[in-house]
Structures are given as structure tokens and as C-alpha cells.
Amino acid sequence: MTPPGLEPPADAPVSAQPRNLADLLAYIARHTAPAGELKAVRDHRGTWVCLGMEQRLRQSGTQVPDNAGPLNTQRLLHQALTVMRDTSPAYFQHFMGHVEGLLALEALSQPPGLAKKNAARGARRR
């Protein structure tokens, strides 16, 4: 089914009509004008994304116990994230996007009372 306003002309050949999702997406891309993004918006989005990633990295560092041994999971995770950020910032950004999505799904899947208990437990540790 083609979205309203994007129907092919009645005299269009059958092969020009989208038959699956990939065809539909390609058809929409060909027949819609690209919405340009302002450079300032793109720059500010990039800045906020970088700040958010740095904040998550700092959060992972604060969760490492002071007396963490060399094989402590939280310490190893923080070291891996730091090396990833230093080695490949673009991959780090992509990876953190996945992490943000997983954290959002986890928050949505928890019962409301459990989320409050976990937040209070985390606040007591600090």
C-alpha cells in the first residue's frame, strides 16, 4: 500500500509501482524533496551528542569502586569504552547509540516500582 500523496500515476507501468518495503522506501526517496538541515543545527546536534557520550563515559568511571581489582567488570568496561573512544570516535558514537537504545528499552521494560528502587540503590552507592 502506497502512502497517500505518493501514489503512482494511473498510467504508470506495473513495474514502477512498489511491491515490497525496499521498493516503497526507494520510491519515497525518489519522489520527495530532501529536507535540508541547517548547518548550525547539525553542528549543535554533534556537540550535544559528544557531550552526552562524555557524560556516559564519566558515569561509567564513577561506578568503578575505589578498590577495584584488575579483573573488575566495571573497571574493564570503563577501560574498554575509553580505548574505543580514543581509537575510533565514530565507532564509539555508533556503539553508544546502541547502548542508549538498550538502556531506554530496559527502562521501559521494568515495572515502575522496580525502577524507583534501582535509582535509590544507585544513589546510596555514591
Side-chain angles (χ1 to χ4, degrees):
M1 182 173 159
T2 306
L6 292 176
E7 296 90 2
D11 60 345
V14 176
S15 63
Q17 296 179 3
R19 284 179 271 139
N20 58 31
L21 182 58
D23 290 343
L24 178 61
L25 292 175
Y27 181 82
I28 291 171
R30 282 192 312 266
H31 292 87
T32 56
E37 183 178 46
L38 296 175
K39 184 180 183 306
V41 172
R42 190 172 46 246
D43 292 343
H44 285 292
R45 180 179 301 121
T47 301
W48 283 109
V49 166
C50 289
L51 288 173
M53 290 187 308
E54 289 298 321
Q55 180 183 14
R56 284 286 185 194
L57 192 60
R58 278 193 307 276
Q59 284 177 348
S60 74
T62 60
Q63 293 176 355
V64 176
D66 294 334
N67 59 352
L71 298 178
N72 180 279
T73 306
Q74 291 171 330
R75 179 179 177 191
L76 291 173
L77 174 65
H78 180 68
Q79 286 176 345
L81 290 174
T82 303
V83 169
M84 187 187 306
R85 182 202 56 194
D86 295 342
T87 305
S88 177
Y91 184 79
F92 177 70
Q93 181 178 355
H94 183 77
F95 179 78
M96 291 305 286
H98 287 292
V99 170
E100 293 290 331
L102 290 173
L103 289 173
L105 287 174
E106 181 183 30
L108 288 174
S109 67
Q110 289 182 350
L114 184 61
K116 290 179 183 177
K117 287 181 184 177
N118 287 342
R121 194 175 299 143
R124 277 185 270 146
R125 287 183 188 162
R126 294 181 191 152

